[in-house]
Amino acid sequence: MKLTKILVLVLSLCLMLVTFAHAGKDLDAVRNKGFIQTGVNGAVFGFGMPDAKGVWEGLDVDTARAVAAAIFGDASKVKFTPLSAQQRFTALQSGEIDILTRNATRTLSRETQLGLNFVTVNYYDGQGFLVSKELGVKSAKELDGATVCVLPGTTTEQNAADFFRTHKMAWKPVVIESTAELAKTFFAGRCDVLTSDASQLAGARAISADPKGYVILPEIISKEPLAPAVRHGDDQFRDIVDFSVLAMINAEELGITSKNVDEMLNSKNPVIQRFLGVSPGNGKALGLDEKWAYNIIKQVGNYGEVFERNVGINTTLGIERGLNALWTNGGLMYSPPFK
């Protein structure tokens, strides 16, 4: 009997040590300063860009706000750092920012060589080509000899080189680090083509002087799963960022919106009760308040709301859900169980 008590005590101490080890340094740092510092693009309409009054808007911006709502119960507890494509990963590695929500593609080398953890994809994209209608081009395969505006140090640059090489076409890259300056260069007519993720091309076209004068060519030449990223070394923080994205997707699956979430608190569905924290457990598992998912949906919205508000068919960008629809509607958005 005495031996049994000793074993129970040792097991309890081990569980306590595991719990303490789970408490992450990055999460502690975020809590201590009282806000999340997030790296964003700053120049992509619909994803990450301040409006005329300086208020940050976009799908990536709302993703960061969801994490703030989960951790602090307040979606406004976030500050934004605009970063170029070349600056973004260094800023995360160095600790200048806590999270990167900047249309970054998850790749093997970025996860391993750069020491980053990408979480659930918040936008499935692919690289395309934007041209002036006056160019008279209907296909990317007609771009032999074209000058192409492209960002350096990105998967975009490599994909473009691979595409032109594969199709035995010549091209002349015009490389400019700033997203905003790159777009200005293209619309000023200094290059024939602007290549980037199709979502960024739609954003650039939407705020150009003549949106109807440009067309995105039909070819999509790559897979670009865009996702938030954090540093290696804090599994708890990574889990929170991951499940903050998943919470928005799961809410849409369950039919929970920012408008009906209060009513849904009274649901008798045990799945909804667990998700919204009426039945406790999920919050404790993540080290958060049990209302963490409720706070995300109430203050930011479900994934469908965030998508439609920022880039959807009724916005200036006019992007259809496509791959970013729920799996039940033919898309790739899918959430694991919250239990």
Side-chain angles (χ1 to χ4, degrees), residues 203-225:
R205 179 176 61 179
I207 58 175
S208 70
D210 180 22
K212 294 182 179 180
Y214 297 88
V215 60
I216 299 174
L217 298 177
E219 289 86 357
I220 298 296
I221 67 170
S222 69
K223 294 188 295 183
E224 306 294 336

Side-chain angles (χ1 to χ4, degrees), residues 82 99 128 139 145 152 255:
I99 310 174
S139 167

Side-chain angles (χ1 to χ4, degrees), residues 100-299:
L100 181 68
T101 56
R102 189 203 176 280
N103 51 281
T105 301
R106 180 182 183 182
T107 69
L108 184 149
S109 61
R110 289 172 178 176
E111 290 244 11
T112 55
Q113 297 172 21
L114 300 184
L116 306 181
N117 280 328
F118 286 83
V119 302
T120 296
V121 171
N122 70 337
Y123 191 89
Y124 287 96
D125 210 344
Q127 185 174 334
F129 299 94
L130 181 69
V131 298
S132 169
K133 288 182 178 179
E134 293 180 355
L135 196 62
V137 171
K138 303 298 182 183
S139 167
K141 295 176 183 178
E142 300 173 30
L143 295 175
D144 189 21
T147 54
V148 182
C149 279
V150 62
L151 289 170
T154 62
T155 56
T156 305
E157 187 177 19
Q158 182 179 349
N159 292 338
D162 289 346
F163 176 80
F164 280 91
R165 186 183 303 113
T166 298
H167 292 282
K168 298 179 181 179
M169 297 189 300
W171 71 304
K172 301 172 186 176
V174 177
V175 180
I176 298 175
E177 183 176 339
S178 164
T179 300
E181 288 302 316
L182 188 74
K184 287 180 182 178
T185 299
F186 169 70
F187 290 117
R190 288 179 51 197
C191 42
D192 303 313
V193 185
L194 176 61
T195 186
S196 188
D197 296 343
S199 61
Q200 291 192 48
L201 298 179
R205 179 176 61 179
I207 58 175
S208 70
D210 180 22
K212 294 182 179 180
Y214 297 88
V215 60
I216 299 174
L217 298 177
E219 289 86 357
I220 298 296
I221 67 170
S222 69
K223 294 188 295 183
E224 306 294 336
L226 309 180
V230 296
R231 288 179 292 279
H232 280 178
D234 188 338
D235 289 343
Q236 184 182 13
F237 189 48
R238 187 262 175 206
D239 288 345
I240 290 171
V241 176
D242 188 30
F243 275 92
S244 293
V245 178
L246 287 167
M248 293 188 287
I249 298 169
N250 194 54
E252 186 178 10
E253 289 186 20
L254 295 173
I256 304 173
T257 70
S258 59
K259 295 181 175 61
N260 70 12
V261 67
D262 287 319
E263 179 185 344
M264 286 292 193
L265 289 172
N266 300 315
S267 172
K268 302 303 181 184
N269 184 334
V271 174
I272 293 176
Q273 290 177 343
R274 283 193 297 268
F275 176 66
L276 294 179
V278 176
S279 297
N282 288 339
K284 182 179 180 181
L286 289 169
L288 300 174
D289 187 278
E290 293 296 345
K291 294 184 68 177
W292 68 276
Y294 166 86
N295 289 330
I296 290 175
I297 309 311
K298 180 68 175 179
Q299 298 178 38

Side-chain angles (χ1 to χ4, degrees), residues 2 51-52 57 226 259:
K2 189 174 182 180
D51 65 11
E57 295 180 336
L226 309 180
K259 295 181 175 61

